[in-house]
Amino acid sequence: MNRLPDTGRSYWMQTADLPSFPPLSGAVEADVAIVGGGIVGLSTAWELARAGRSVVVLEADRVAGGVTGHTTGKVTALHTAVYDTIREKHGDDAARRYATSQSAALRHVIEVSGELGTDCELESRPAFTYCRDPEGVDALRAEAEAARAAGLSASFVTASGLPFPVAGAVRVEDQAQFHPLKYLRGLVEDVAARGGRIHEGTRVTQLDDGDPCVLSTESGATVSAGHVVVATHHPLFDNALLATRLTQHRDLVIAGPLPAGQDPGGMYISQEEGKRSVRTSPLPDGRRLLIVTGEAFTPGTGEDIEAGYARLLAWTEHHFPGFSIAHRWAAQDNSSTDTLPLIGRLPTNGDHVYVATGFAGWGMTGGVLAATVIASLVRGDEDPWDGLYDPGRVGSALRSAPTYLKAQWEVGKHFVQDRLETLGDGINGPAASLRPGDGTVVRAAGRPCAVHRDDEGELHAVSAVCTHMGCLVAFNNAERTWECPCHGSRFGIDGEVLQGPALRPLERRDPGEPDEPDHRPA
């Protein structure tokens, strides 16, 4: 088996050459302030700058360096097996509007890249949702019928370009794939040319949703704006408790050059085997880069992530002989409990704050779609999809009550059970036995403490209590991060926020050897 490379920046981030932007300083004003510089934020900025609005984009780290920078770059309206579910939960009309809106987003990507002359390696490919187990065939037949009834060019097939037999698949023609960051580079350059301001290294910590809205940042700089767009994957400033309607998952990704003649000629995904997603991308030397995604897991549950990478690599090497891994990374996504994304005005935050989240791993079409919806609302136009994605919707949420209650049960279970296990029997054993590169959560001075031993043997200790809503974090041994199982916040080994919804870092603790678990109940 090939040796796993170090985790780090994705292939997209290594090859996009995005411009850099200074942090925000002082107090500025704009028509629209956008929090988050991923595909939602940058696409929204472009739509509004093109319409003559002054925009300011505030990104905590690097533009497109978060969820967008770790995608697989599929631009498709076939989202695994979603149409039969939407039809059942929301009705036939909702399924048609979903298909029409996602297809419109796909066409918009093609039109925008053409208008800007962006070389983003855009390629037309069929998309497949497949199964290898014959027991899954009936569900895929139903999905093919539902997708076709919704307006997609969908069919049920039993043949594919994959190097192994499939029991069945839904095939949709004329979908697309691209280099997501090269596409966003075109938007960034055009936004800047139109006078839009983009600021990196600028973490927003507070929103006053008055008139105007005022955003405050970690450095003390502020932005006053008539409208605010919260484009942070998991929504910040969540007075409407949208977090209770979202579930989190991460997927592992490996990529490397593919031997000639093995390109499967499409985009493939299956929920079997812990999820398997396969596509290729052009390389400068004429070869194809194979990108395989899978081993989905909930962040913060303490799973052995390195073992997941090993399983994914073994699967890929078995099915694509001669594959050589060159990159690995992980992607985080969230899904709404009623299947549809949440796009529009943020409930309870007035009429001038907007949000986009819950794309369930399909953020390329979802993000572009969200930008067009939010830009329409900011301009005072009607929602082009008649409230299908409205975050304030009630009826569909009630119909999805079992999924919602299950999600809340999982959050409550982690909040209570993790404390009992950590402060009683401990998780993974005492800190004294940590090997270099490992981490664990133990009792230290009577409090839950997250401890990591680095490669030089030095201990790093921070509070294990997530600063979002108080759940306990767990260690990700592949990325060497602390992750919250309740709402997906992620932190570095010294507590810095890597991914929200948490706004504040984990409190640092004495890095000396922590106490052993003392076996007393919390």
Side-chain angles (χ1 to χ4, degrees):
M1 179 182 295
N2 291 315
R3 185 182 69 84
L4 287 169
D6 292 337
T7 54
R9 297 188 306 157
S10 69
Y11 170 77
W12 315 122
M13 296 171 70
Q14 294 179 47
T15 56
D17 192 26
L18 285 165
S20 58
F21 300 93
L24 178 69
S25 61
V28 301
E29 298 180 356
D31 294 331
V32 186
I34 299 168
V35 186
I39 191 164
V40 175
L42 295 175
S43 296
T44 304
W46 185 79
E47 297 286 344
L48 291 170
R50 188 168 177 253
R53 303 296 178 99
S54 62
V55 297
V56 173
V57 179
L58 306 177
E59 166 56 45
D61 192 8
R62 286 276 284 135
V63 293
V67 174
T68 298
H70 296 84
T71 180
T72 54
K74 297 178 180 179
V75 188
T76 174
L78 181 64
H79 297 166
T80 317
V82 73
Y83 287 97
D84 199 34
T85 301
I86 293 175
R87 184 167 63 175
E88 179 182 344
K89 287 185 176 182
H90 306 278
D92 292 340
D93 181 63
R96 283 191 293 270
R97 282 185 287 156
Y98 186 91
T100 303
S101 60
Q102 299 292 333
S103 297
L106 188 163
R107 291 192 301 272
H108 198 56
V109 168
I110 297 171
E111 292 165 359
V112 170
S113 61
E115 178 181 335
L116 298 180
T118 302
D119 180 9
C120 58
E121 299 168 11
L122 186 66
E123 299 176 308
S124 177
R125 291 288 187 276
F128 297 79
T129 298
Y130 74 91
C131 71
R132 302 178 69 183
D133 187 341
E135 292 188 2
V137 166
D138 287 347
L140 287 188
R141 286 187 184 277
E143 178 65 14
E145 191 279 325
R148 189 165 52 250
L152 298 184
S153 58
S155 59
F156 177 82
V157 298
T158 56
S160 77
L162 290 167
F164 49 79
V166 300
V170 181
R171 175 175 176 144
V172 174
E173 307 297 336
D174 302 321
Q175 306 300 286
Q177 58 188 26
F178 69 168
H179 191 307
L181 270 61
K182 288 184 178 179
Y183 173 77
L184 291 181
R185 183 177 63 194
L187 296 187
V188 164
E189 292 172 348
D190 199 55
V191 167
R194 295 175 183 272
R197 289 166 287 178
I198 300 173
H199 296 282
E200 297 177 316
T202 302
R203 186 175 298 280
V204 176
T205 57
Q206 186 175 335
L207 165 64
D208 177 356
D209 55 4
D211 186 15
C213 301
V214 178
L215 291 167
S216 301
T217 69
E218 199 171 51
S219 67
T222 62
V223 177
S224 299
H227 303 269
V228 168
V229 180
V230 181
T232 54
H233 180 61
H234 200 296
L236 307 179
F237 321 118
D238 187 14
N239 295 339
L241 298 180
L242 294 188
T244 65
R245 296 162 58 188
L246 297 169
T247 59
Q248 312 292 322
H249 73 274
R250 285 180 75 74
D251 295 289
L252 307 182
V253 186
I254 61 174
L258 187 65
Q262 293 190 27
D263 188 348
M267 303 177 292
Y268 299 86
I269 191 166
S270 173
Q271 294 291 5
E272 294 174 327
E273 303 176 282
K275 185 186 283 188
R276 291 292 182 265
S277 169
V278 176
R279 66 156 285 199
T280 65
S281 181
L283 289 170
D285 62 5
R287 294 184 296 171
R288 302 290 295 184
L289 181 77
L290 178 67
I291 304 167
V292 180
T293 308
E295 296 298 322
F297 65 97
T298 300
T301 52
E303 297 181 43
D304 186 348
I305 310 305
E306 287 285 4
Y309 272 116
R311 289 191 296 271
L312 189 62
L313 178 57
W315 184 92
T316 305
E317 290 177 325
H318 174 71
H319 292 296
F320 295 90
F323 168 79
S324 178
I325 185 171
H327 312 273
R328 66 163 169 161
W329 66 92
Q332 184 152 319
D333 292 297
N334 56 32
S335 305
S336 74
T337 53
D338 73 350
T339 307
L340 297 173
L342 306 168
I343 304 168
R345 289 186 174 88
L346 186 58
T348 75
N349 283 82
D351 292 334
H352 303 291
V353 181
Y354 310 84
V355 69
T357 187
F359 299 122
W362 302 102
M364 297 300 97
T365 50
V368 172
L369 163 66
T372 60
V373 170
I374 292 172
S376 294
L377 297 175
V378 169
R379 293 192 304 261
D381 299 335
E382 294 294 324
D383 180 346
W385 306 112
D386 196 25
L388 178 65
Y389 303 105
D390 182 4
R393 60 184 181 263
V394 176
S396 61
L398 293 176
R399 290 191 295 273
S400 301
T403 307
Y404 171 85
L405 292 173
K406 180 182 178 182
Q408 297 322 298
W409 164 254
E410 290 295 327
V411 170
K413 182 179 71 174
H414 281 296
F415 189 87
V416 175
Q417 182 175 310
D418 290 356
R419 280 171 163 75
L420 293 176
E421 291 180 352
T422 301
L423 299 183
D425 297 330
I427 296 177
N428 300 328
S433 64
L434 281 177
R435 296 174 298 176
D438 283 348
T440 190
V441 176
V442 297
R443 176 189 289 275
R447 299 177 296 177
C449 186
V451 186
H452 167 71
R453 191 183 298 279
D454 65 25
D455 290 337
E456 286 69 45
E458 182 180 353
L459 283 176
H460 301 254
V462 294
S463 169
V465 180
C466 178
T467 57
H468 176 228
M469 293 184 69
C471 294
L472 297 192
V473 299
F475 189 62
N476 178 325
N477 64 349
E479 299 174 87
R480 298 196 184 185
T481 54
W482 298 106
E483 299 175 347
C484 177
C486 293
H487 303 109
S489 294
R490 302 177 64 243
F491 305 86
I493 58 172
D494 288 323
E496 66 274 18
V497 177
L498 301 179
Q499 188 164 359
L503 293 171
R504 293 177 290 109
L506 300 175
E507 179 185 345
R508 293 203 181 193
R509 297 284 174 79
D510 185 348
E513 297 285 353
D515 302 337
E516 300 291 331
D518 64 7
H519 302 287
R520 293 180 299 184

